[in-house]
Amino acid sequence: MKNTFFLLLLLGIFFSANAQQKPVFQKLRYEDDLRYLKADSTKNFYEKIKYIPLSRNENYYASVGGEARLQYTYTINDKWGDESDEGDGYLLSRYLLHADVHLGVFRTFFELQSSLANSKTDPSPVDQNQLDIHQAFLDIDFIRNEKQQLTLRSGRQEMMYGSQRLVAVREGPNSRLAFDAVKLFYKNKNWQTDAFYTHPIANKPGTFNDSFNENAQFWGSYTVIHKAPFIQNIDFYYLGLWKSRSVFDDAAGEENRQSIGTRIWKNKGNWKYDFEGVYQFGNISQKTISAWTISSFACYTFENIKFKPEIGLKTEIISGDKHSDDNHLETFNPLYPRGAYFGLVALIGPSNLIDVHPSISLTLSDKWGFGIDYDIFWRQTISDGLYAPNMQLLYSGENTNERFIGSQLISNLDYEANDYLAFTLETGWFNTGSFLKEVGSGKDYFYAALTAQFKF
């Protein structure tokens, strides 16, 4: 492990020394903008693989890129002592390699993903998926200029929308999420709208076996308006989900769920905010669905104070089922959210939950950052259980009236070595509440994780 971390450090130093201009790596790597290299006639080794001319036409070019991420995690009292009451350490590694080819109005993007779990007992497919085609799609541009773009995208692709509460690439876990999809999107300076129909990929351990998933369908539309009257930005969306089988505390069977929501947000300046509301309806088996969530986040950065402290407060109310054994289900389904929803080692998912989450972060220097988050969790209804981020039922709510789940304290220390290499040390302590003590072993949970991430 030490040798691998050292190799990533050497690669980061090498690419940093060879780059003439700073790259900007996007969360969705197919959105990396390499146009600044077109006019560079004195390219070094790194820039030559990032921009490979395919003809005299500047719109015909190719690019190569990727990522290596190593993450060593040590835990005590896994699943609050129900799975293990001893210390356990394991190493997760993720490797991504992509090729991007632009041929005028056509564009293809291809990416491989390898996720490995060393020394982890019974790793899930999200932890370990040896090698597979992660993305492979074709773009056709009907309109593309400096002012607007209309594109049809077809094939396996990553998608990410809004705050990532409902649709995300699952960056935190070891395997990122992709969709077999057809998407039509239009964007200009002030707004963007997408319409898509997909089958989410179900990861399977092994090599090149993440086949077409017939057991789930996901579709919808998402519109973002910038510089809206009286507010900074606003999102409107509709999302549909069908699954051949879903399991909740009080329902199981074929699920057909529709979600409508809106989000008001601002991510620049001293004041930042994010307010979102979602309502869900549909049916599962013979039950009708009526679920909802309201979330708010606001933070302020003190630019003129040493270390530029940023103080934030996030709150969420996420519905759970009110009554068992009736014809209704009020349990909220977060669809395909970011995996590490409440910390890097995600214990709790965003369903049947009340969450109060203050935080503070400090910019110690250009390279160092430090943050502390404190979460307090309650069940929204005492008739429903506690769920994991993937909506697996962790504990039923049938035989307990306890509402308080517990509190979680997380600290993170970030170091950005250069534009290519970053390190994060995160520690977390979960103090179990009365609900976890009654339904399980109820032991306090601790983890520490060191992550090294290299991008090129």
Side-chain angles (χ1 to χ4, degrees), residues 15 18-19 34 37 40-53 61-64:
F15 280 108
N18 278 270
L34 304 169
L37 292 173
D40 188 355
S41 60
T42 59
K43 297 183 180 67
N44 55 44
F45 168 77
Y46 174 70
E47 292 173 342
K48 285 181 178 179
I49 66 171
K50 297 306 294 181
Y51 181 77
I52 306 169
Y61 66 94
S63 178
V64 176

Side-chain angles (χ1 to χ4, degrees), residues 314 316 342 348 353-358 374-378 404-409 430:
K314 180 180 180 180
E316 293 181 294
F342 301 107
I348 296 176
L353 207 64
I354 297 175
D355 168 43
V356 177
H357 180 184
Y374 184 64
D375 266 305
I376 311 172
F377 303 105
W378 299 265
F404 181 51
I405 300 169
S407 59
Q408 178 176 266
L409 179 65
F430 195 107

Side-chain angles (χ1 to χ4, degrees), residues 140-181:
I140 302 176
D141 291 332
F142 299 107
I143 303 173
R144 189 178 183 91
N145 53 51
E146 293 182 357
K147 295 183 178 180
Q148 58 183 340
Q149 178 183 355
L150 176 63
T151 300
L152 176 67
R153 177 170 295 161
S154 178
R156 185 165 293 189
Q157 58 193 267
E158 291 184 340
M159 297 197 310
M160 180 178 69
Y161 289 107
S163 61
Q164 302 185 61
R165 290 187 180 99
L166 301 175
V167 187
V169 297
R170 204 170 57 193
E171 165 63 17
N174 208 30
S175 294
R176 288 169 66 113
L177 175 65
F179 301 79
D180 285 327

